[in-house]
Amino acid sequence: MIGQPNAQATPGAKYLVPFVFDRALQISQASDGPIFSHHDVGSKNAIDIPMPIGTPVIATRSGTVIQNINQFSDNGQATTAFLTKANSISILHDDGTWAQYLHLKQFSSRVSVGQKVTAGMPIALSGNSGFSSEPHLHFVLQKNENGTIVSLPIKFWTTENSVVIPRYRSWLTPGQAIPAKSKMQRTVKDCSVDAVIDEATLHCMQKR
């Protein structure tokens, strides 16, 4: 089992919203709302964020990649046969906690096990792999509590340096600052044939 069994989450540690998009996205599952799949202690505080396949996913906090599953197709279904078929990345933080990003797009991972990553770094694209009823990102913060993996409450920091507590049906703005429309020289439609917003699309949109 990963993690030190007596690890303590650093008070006030900052976590970025884990995606980059051109608008806010609404949380479909959180601890304060109806629970569809987050029943055990390891996922009680997890959140689900529906988003188009191919949305850039970023590291919410600096750390070391300890898991990188990348091979499963984006044909997720909400059946038990798909419980072990989710692409995922886990990043261990320096306080012994770790963040897990699930349902990622097949072969979209940009990291490898043992790699150091920084907060805000693109790590993969969102997908629809594994136990999933729709394309979305499952994000959870976890720790080893005396041999049991438990999930921890999440607080995100915005680009305005304010705290956001993710709640059921609340909205999350992107984790990295997208230039304001007045500063954008091109639109998503101008820069992406399939409307996927990745690093190349963002770079294109900011070109003069």
Side-chain angles (χ1 to χ4, degrees):
M1 184 174 293
I2 63 174
Q4 294 291 337
N6 57 354
Q8 297 296 320
T10 301
K14 293 186 177 182
Y15 298 87
L16 299 177
V17 173
F19 64 86
V20 177
F21 203 50
D22 61 349
R23 62 180 182 272
L25 297 175
Q26 189 175 37
I27 294 171
S28 65
Q29 190 172 191
S31 60
D32 64 325
I35 298 300
F36 169 65
S37 58
H38 303 169
H39 298 290
D40 59 78
V41 294
S43 62
K44 176 183 176 182
N45 292 294
I47 59 172
D48 285 344
I49 315 166
M51 59 183 64
I53 292 176
T55 303
V57 176
I58 65 171
T60 63
R61 182 180 171 188
S62 300
T64 304
V65 178
I66 57 173
Q67 182 186 60
N68 182 35
I69 300 173
N70 198 36
Q71 73 271 24
F72 294 111
S73 300
D74 293 283
N75 61 345
Q77 297 181 30
T79 63
T80 55
F82 284 79
L83 284 171
T84 59
K85 296 180 179 180
N87 298 318
S88 65
I89 291 173
S90 296
I91 297 176
L92 181 68
H93 310 131
D94 58 11
D95 59 5
T97 65
W98 63 90
Q100 194 171 43
Y101 311 74
L102 283 91
H103 309 298
L104 303 174
K105 185 177 180 180
Q106 185 181 38
F107 304 136
S108 72
S109 173
R110 303 179 184 181
V111 297
S112 57
V113 172
Q115 181 178 342
K116 302 287 187 181
V117 298
T118 56
M121 175 179 169
I123 58 173
L125 301 177
S126 68
N128 191 38
S129 57
F131 188 89
S132 176
S133 59
E134 63 178 336
H136 72 285
L137 175 67
H138 172 103
F139 176 82
V140 62
L141 181 62
Q142 297 176 317
K143 63 167 284 190
N144 180 339
E145 190 169 280
N146 299 316
T148 300
I149 293 179
V150 301
S151 60
L152 301 172
I154 303 163
K155 291 182 180 180
F156 292 121
W157 287 75
T158 70
T159 52
E160 291 78 27
N161 210 33
S162 60
V163 176
V164 174
I165 298 176
R167 303 188 188 281
Y168 174 60
R169 289 189 173 175
S170 65
W171 296 82
L172 291 176
T173 54
Q176 287 183 330
I178 303 286
K181 288 185 178 179
S182 60
K183 296 181 181 179
M184 286 186 181
Q185 305 301 312
R186 300 169 185 168
T187 66
V188 175
K189 189 175 181 180
D190 294 328
C191 294
S192 177
V193 174
D194 53 7
V196 171
I197 300 178
D198 55 18
E199 286 182 289
T201 303
L202 290 174
H203 182 69
C204 170
M205 291 166 69
Q206 294 175 60
K207 279 186 175 180
R208 295 186 180 277

